[in-house]
């Protein structure tokens, strides 16, 4: 996928992102559509460069060769070699750091060890229910010392994408999702409606009933939503189908998520799938495995992607995210992916390494000594 960046990389992405200046350069992201399908989607970007219809072509963005993809992953035996080969570790959260509200054993000690070796730690999650600030509080509650600037959620990615295409100030975003998306849109200065407030709304179907919707909505952002209902499906559908150029943006397409540590729960992909089914359109995906957040992190911290290791529990999001970005990848079996799933002959996504859980960094080191 081709990403054209016009913003000066000498400035931090954060200051660029929130700059109020109309002359500030913007980034046109063109790598946000799903990687698993060959699809065509069109949208009308609202930009100072003119209102031209652009077509985003979704093509696989895997940066590894077919031979590499078919090769078997290596079980992590010597973590020091991996630790010494990179500057930054990007961790997924659900299934890697915690499950639900329960911290996975050995995580605090492992993070402390990596920091003691001078490694930069970043935490990236597809869960859009919280903002970065809210995730900071969750880390704190779990006894982890993580700064807000080290946290990147797909709720932030949605707001960042809209800013990057010069989403006009007179347009609104209809949100099918939770508070995290609303907070990030507010911080970005973007008007919005919907969210949890529409969770109680119902449609009373009567003969001749016509549901009205806001013609000023220029984008529908869909994320995980525990208040999902038919009202939201219909409202979002009307906006996308009837408002000219209205964007359909998904924070992620995860099939399942970890709301508790007892079982897997239907993920944000189920909400995205409902809107996709009713509109017959494919979304622009801003979360993993899209490279949007990887490009952002690389710019923000000024690091080479080859100096990053992505640590995650999902093959089709976390590991593919790392591979799409040209990073090393480590799969942990503490979340969604099992060893049987990894070694299934039909699985073509193979990480560089795999291990049981993050704390194996410590246990394997001790065994080696």
């Amino acid at each position: 996928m081709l990403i054209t960046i016009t913003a000066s990389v000498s400035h931090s992405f954060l200051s660029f992102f929130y700059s109020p200046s109309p002359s500030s350069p913007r980034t046109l992201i063109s790598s946000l559509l799903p990687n698993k399908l060959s699809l065509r989607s069109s949208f009308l970007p609202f930009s100072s460069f003119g209102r031209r219809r652009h077509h985003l072509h979704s093509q696989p963005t895997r940066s590894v060769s077919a031979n590499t993809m078919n090769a078997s992953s290596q079980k992590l035996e010597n973590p020091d070699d991996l630790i010494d080969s990179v500057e930054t570790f990007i961790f997924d959260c659900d299934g890697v750091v915690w499950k639900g509200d329960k911290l996975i054993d050995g995580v605090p000690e492992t993070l402390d060890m990596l920091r003691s070796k001078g490694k930069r730690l970043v935490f990236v999650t597809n869960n859009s229910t919280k903002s970065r600030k809210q995730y900071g509080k969750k880390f704190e509650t779990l006894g982890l010392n993580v700064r807000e600037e080290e946290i990147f959620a797909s709720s932030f990615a949605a707001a960042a994408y809209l800013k990057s295409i010069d989403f006009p100030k007179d347009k609104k975003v209809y949100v099918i999702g939770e508070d995290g998306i609303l907070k990030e849109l507010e911080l970005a200065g973007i008007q919005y409606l919907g969210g949890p407030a529409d969770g109680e709304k119902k449609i009373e179907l009567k003969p001749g009933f016509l549901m009205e919707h806001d013609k000023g909505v220029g984008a529908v952002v869909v994320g995980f939503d525990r208040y999902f209902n038919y009202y939201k499906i219909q409202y979002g559908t009307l906006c996308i189908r009837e408002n000219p150029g209205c964007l359909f943006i998904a924070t992620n397409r995860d099939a399942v998520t970890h709301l508790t540590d007892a079982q897997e729960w239907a993920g944000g992909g189920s909400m995205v799938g409902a809107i996709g089914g009713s509109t017959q359109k494919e979304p622009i995906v801003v979360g993993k495995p899209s490279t949007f957040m990887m490009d952002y992190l690389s710019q923000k911290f000024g690091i080479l992607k080859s100096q990053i290791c992505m640590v995650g529990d999902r093959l089709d999001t976390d590991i593919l995210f790392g591979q799409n970005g040209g990073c090393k990848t480590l799969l942990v079996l503490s979340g969604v992916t099992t060893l049987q799933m990894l070694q299934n002959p039909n699985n073509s996504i193979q990480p560089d390494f795999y291990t049981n859980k993050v704390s194996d960094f410590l246990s394997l080191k001790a065994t080696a000594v």
Side-chain angles (χ1 to χ4, degrees), residues 92-235:
D92 177 47
C93 296
D94 297 325
V96 177
V97 177
W98 59 63
K99 277 190 174 182
D101 290 322
K102 183 178 179 181
L103 192 65
I104 294 176
D105 292 341
V107 167
E109 297 82 0
T110 303
L111 299 184
D112 288 344
M113 179 272 293
L114 292 173
R115 289 191 191 276
S116 72
K117 289 181 170 289
K119 303 303 175 181
R120 179 184 290 109
L121 307 184
V122 179
F123 302 86
V124 176
T125 176
N126 265 356
N127 192 327
S128 61
T129 60
K130 293 180 175 65
S131 65
R132 291 163 297 162
K133 184 178 289 294
Q134 290 171 315
Y135 270 112
K137 292 179 180 178
K138 178 168 184 174
F139 276 102
E140 183 179 356
T141 300
L142 293 173
L144 298 176
N145 182 24
V146 176
R147 300 187 304 275
E148 185 178 326
E149 57 267 27
E150 295 175 320
I151 304 168
F152 300 94
S154 61
S155 52
F156 170 79
Y161 173 73
L162 288 167
K163 293 292 287 186
S164 76
I165 61 169
D166 289 331
F167 190 74
K169 295 186 181 299
D170 63 336
K171 291 290 181 180
K172 304 170 190 173
V173 173
Y174 182 67
V175 177
I176 299 176
E178 299 192 18
D179 195 46
I181 299 174
L182 304 186
K183 289 187 179 299
E184 294 294 355
L185 290 174
E186 184 176 359
L187 286 172
I190 297 173
Q191 298 182 72
Y192 62 84
L193 65 155
D198 282 0
E200 300 295 327
K201 294 182 179 180
K202 298 180 180 180
I203 299 175
E204 187 177 352
L205 296 177
K206 299 178 180 179
F209 175 75
L210 175 69
M211 184 174 176
E212 300 290 343
H213 71 284
D214 193 327
K215 300 299 192 296
V217 171
V220 175
V221 173
V222 184
F224 180 74
D225 190 346
R226 286 168 289 190
Y227 312 97
F228 195 58
N229 59 17
Y230 189 66
Y231 178 93
K232 293 184 179 184
I233 295 176
Q234 179 65 3
Y235 200 100

Side-chain angles (χ1 to χ4, degrees), residues 13-24:
F13 190 95
L14 196 58
S15 62
F16 151 70
F17 168 65
Y18 287 114
S19 172
S21 170
S23 62
S24 297

